């Protein structure tokens, strides 16, 4: 029952199983131990899909053996695991126990709060991160940039890239989806909104879709076919409705937007992984009220690549891009090459990311404190020179 070939013909291939994961599973091979993909996590237990002959079945497994105080290492929807179905039954109708989690290729991690130094993994081993933004409200370009920075920082730290994985180099491929496109008004207005979103997401696909009319769904479905995709966005972004449309069935409950404030209610309460009819799998997530930065230096550099490129041309290598002479970034803002809004968004996310990283990195914390003191001293010096010149 458990001696199944670990190849592309494996019954779990449609869930993302490939030779790379098969190699990672090799150390755990043994009687009764099978690979499985976690499709749901709930209070110390997980639902996972495992091979069953030529098909698959869902089992309930206990996670006591992999319990940890590190929030970045807890089992998460999307994880591949070694599950013992013969020697790990723990009662209460559990089918087995998770012996180990296989190394993650990618992960989407956020800070649980900008005032805390704790990360939360929302989904793992993902190939596409679908950033859902509702057009029922004013388009928030800063929120798009925030999600993109985190998405582009999501390469797994404990697993190398594998050629079988369709994810973009360095992590999962982000896709910005403007939902509820039927509420955007005329086609010209919708086109302008798409252009605005593209300005905040250079090089990232931006798609406008409507689950109500079906417009754009075929294009999005084609993009997501064959990999693991996760839907992310704030409450009311239309993720559950979009999930139902992509899955071809009503698997997620949908609630209306509150009339009094235009905000959404939490419809999805757990992160669930389900198979897409055209191939691949989809993870739907609860609405996110806050998405704090978490070790997103790489993602910020990629999201704001044009700002980073301009900074290379500044006269001073430690230029803060404010009042320094020879600042190529400020020059680009003044001549209209770089929007001032985008530079401010870059600064805001950089500051937040540095604060979060500094809370867990004593060396960086000392460097930031030293830099702050140097800037204070420079400010006092310039002020004294100004006063002397006026005297």
């Amino acid at each position: 029952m458990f001696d199944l070939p670990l190849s592309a013909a494996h019954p779990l291939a449609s869930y993302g199983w490939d030779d790379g994961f098969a190699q990672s599973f090799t150390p755990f091979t043994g009687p009764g131990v099978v690979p499985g993909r976690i499709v749901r996590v709930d209070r110390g237990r997980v639902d996972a899909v495992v091979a069953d002959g030529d098909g698959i079945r869902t089992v309930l497994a206990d996670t006591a053996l992999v319990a940890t105080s590190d929030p970045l290492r807890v089992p998460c929807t999307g994880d591949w695991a070694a599950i013992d179905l013969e020697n790990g039954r723990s009662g209460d109708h559990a089918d087995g126990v998770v012996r180990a989690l296989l190394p993650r290729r990618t992960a989407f991690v956020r800070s649980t709060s900008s005032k805390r130094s704790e990360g939360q993994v929302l989904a793992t081993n993902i190939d596409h991160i679908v950033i859902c933004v509702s057009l029922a409200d004013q388009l928030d370009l800063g929120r798009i940039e925030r999600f993109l920075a985190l998405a582009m920082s999501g390469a797994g730290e404990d697993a190398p890239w594998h050629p079988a994985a369709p994810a973009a180099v360095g992590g999962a491929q982000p896709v910005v989806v403007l939902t509820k496109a039927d509420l955007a008004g005329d086609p010209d207005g919708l086109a302008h909104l798409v252009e605005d979103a593209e300005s905040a997401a250079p090089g990232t696909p931006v798609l406008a879709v409507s689950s109500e009319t079906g417009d754009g769904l075929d294009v999005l479905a084609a993009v997501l076919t064959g990999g693991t995709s996760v839907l992310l966005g704030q409450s009311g972004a239309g993720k559950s409705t979009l999930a139902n449309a992509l899955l071809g069935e009503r698997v997620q409950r949908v609630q209306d937007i509150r009339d009094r404030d235009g905000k959404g209610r939490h419809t999805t309460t757990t992160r669930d992984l389900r198979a897409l009819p055209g191939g691949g799998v989809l993870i739907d997530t609860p609405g996110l009220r806050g998405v704090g930065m978490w070790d997103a230096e790489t993602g910020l550099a990629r999201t704001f690549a044009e700002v980073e490129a301009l900074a290379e041309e500044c006269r001073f290598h430690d230029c803060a891009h404010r009042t320094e002479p020879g600042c190529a970034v400020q020059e680009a803002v003044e001549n209209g090459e770089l929007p001032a809004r985008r530079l401010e968004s870059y600064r805001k996310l950089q500051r937040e990311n540095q604060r979060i990283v500094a809370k867990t990195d004593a060396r960086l914390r000392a460097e930031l404190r030293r830099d702050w003191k140097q800037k204070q001293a420079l400010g006092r010096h310039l002020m004294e020179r100004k006063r002397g010149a006026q005297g």
Side-chain angles (χ1 to χ4, degrees):
M1 175 179 176
F2 302 111
D3 298 327
L4 290 167
L6 303 180
S7 66
H10 196 283
L12 289 174
S14 61
Y15 277 80
W17 185 255
D18 58 36
D19 291 341
F21 288 121
Q23 292 173 10
S24 298
F25 178 75
T26 300
F28 307 105
T29 303
V33 181
V34 300
R37 190 161 198 191
I38 296 175
V39 299
R40 190 170 184 268
V41 179
D42 187 17
R43 300 179 182 179
R45 301 240 178 127
V46 299
D47 289 330
V49 288
V50 300
D52 184 19
D54 293 331
I56 60 171
R57 66 187 177 105
T58 302
V59 298
L60 178 66
D62 191 270
T63 61
L65 295 182
V66 293
T68 173
S69 59
D70 183 350
L72 299 181
R73 298 291 177 180
V74 298
C76 180
T77 301
D79 274 332
W80 285 97
I83 302 175
D84 192 337
L85 297 178
E86 282 192 356
N87 308 302
R89 296 179 182 176
S90 57
D92 295 332
H93 307 294
D95 301 299
V97 63
V98 175
R99 291 286 180 187
L101 300 179
L102 303 191
R104 295 165 174 167
R105 287 182 183 163
T106 57
F108 187 93
V109 185
R110 68 163 178 173
S111 171
T112 53
S113 169
S114 60
K115 297 180 180 180
R116 296 168 58 188
S117 55
E118 186 175 285
Q120 180 189 22
V121 184
L122 298 183
T124 64
N125 297 314
I126 41 184
D127 303 305
H128 300 100
I129 296 176
V130 182
I131 302 168
C132 299
V133 182
S134 172
L135 293 182
D137 204 352
Q138 183 175 355
L139 189 61
D140 188 341
L141 300 182
R143 177 172 287 271
I144 293 176
E145 290 162 341
R146 176 179 291 271
F147 271 98
L148 280 174
L150 289 169
M152 292 184 176
S153 300
E157 297 180 354
D158 50 4
W161 175 81
H162 189 273
V169 175
Q173 171 65 51
V175 182
V176 176
V177 173
L178 305 181
T179 63
K180 307 181 183 181
D182 53 293
L183 302 180
D186 62 278
D188 289 340
L190 178 59
H192 286 305
L193 290 171
V194 171
E195 289 178 4
D196 288 343
E198 289 174 337
S199 72
T204 298
V206 177
L207 304 175
V209 305
S210 170
S211 300
E212 183 72 22
T213 66
D215 290 344
L217 287 176
D218 55 342
V219 177
L220 177 58
V223 170
L224 305 186
T225 297
T228 297
S229 305
V230 59
L231 301 181
L232 297 171
Q234 65 182 131
S235 300
K239 297 186 308 302
S240 296
T241 306
L242 182 58
N244 289 339
L246 291 170
L247 293 166
E249 55 183 324
R250 194 176 186 277
V251 296
Q252 294 288 18
R253 189 166 57 91
V254 178
Q255 292 182 345
D256 293 330
I257 302 297
R258 291 198 300 256
D259 291 333
R260 66 176 181 275
D261 57 10
K263 295 184 178 180
R265 299 165 175 159
H266 285 290
T267 300
T268 305
T269 57
T270 60
R271 298 189 288 275
D272 299 315
L273 183 152
R274 294 184 173 88
L276 288 166
V281 294
L282 181 70
I283 301 174
D284 191 13
T285 63
L288 303 173
R289 289 192 177 92
V291 185
M293 289 289 100
W294 181 264
D295 196 13
E297 182 178 355
T298 300
L300 284 168
R302 295 177 63 188
T303 301
F304 296 92
E306 81 279 27
V307 180
E308 297 271 328
L310 287 167
E312 293 291 327
E313 301 176 14
C314 291
R315 182 183 303 175
F316 303 107
H317 74 278
D318 59 347
C319 182
H321 317 310
R322 294 190 181 277
T323 59
E324 296 86 350
C327 176
V329 175
Q330 280 295 344
E331 182 180 344
V333 172
E334 291 170 3
N335 64 28
E337 180 184 348
L338 177 68
R341 181 212 65 79
R342 189 151 166 84
L343 175 58
E344 184 54 38
S345 178
Y346 172 73
R347 287 172 173 161
K348 177 182 178 180
L349 296 178
Q350 282 277 20
R351 288 195 302 269
E352 182 182 328
N353 189 62
Q354 285 184 335
R355 286 197 301 269
I356 291 296
V357 175
K359 289 181 180 180
T360 57
D361 188 328
R363 181 178 177 181
L364 177 60
R365 190 161 57 246
E367 290 178 355
L368 291 175
R369 188 180 298 112
R370 183 168 58 252
D371 181 62
W372 178 72
K373 289 182 178 179
Q374 289 175 347
K375 288 180 178 178
Q376 271 197 325
L378 177 61
R380 287 195 298 268
H381 174 68
L382 293 175
M383 183 62 68
E384 290 171 359
R385 286 185 56 183
K386 183 177 180 180
R387 289 172 179 171
Q390 292 175 345

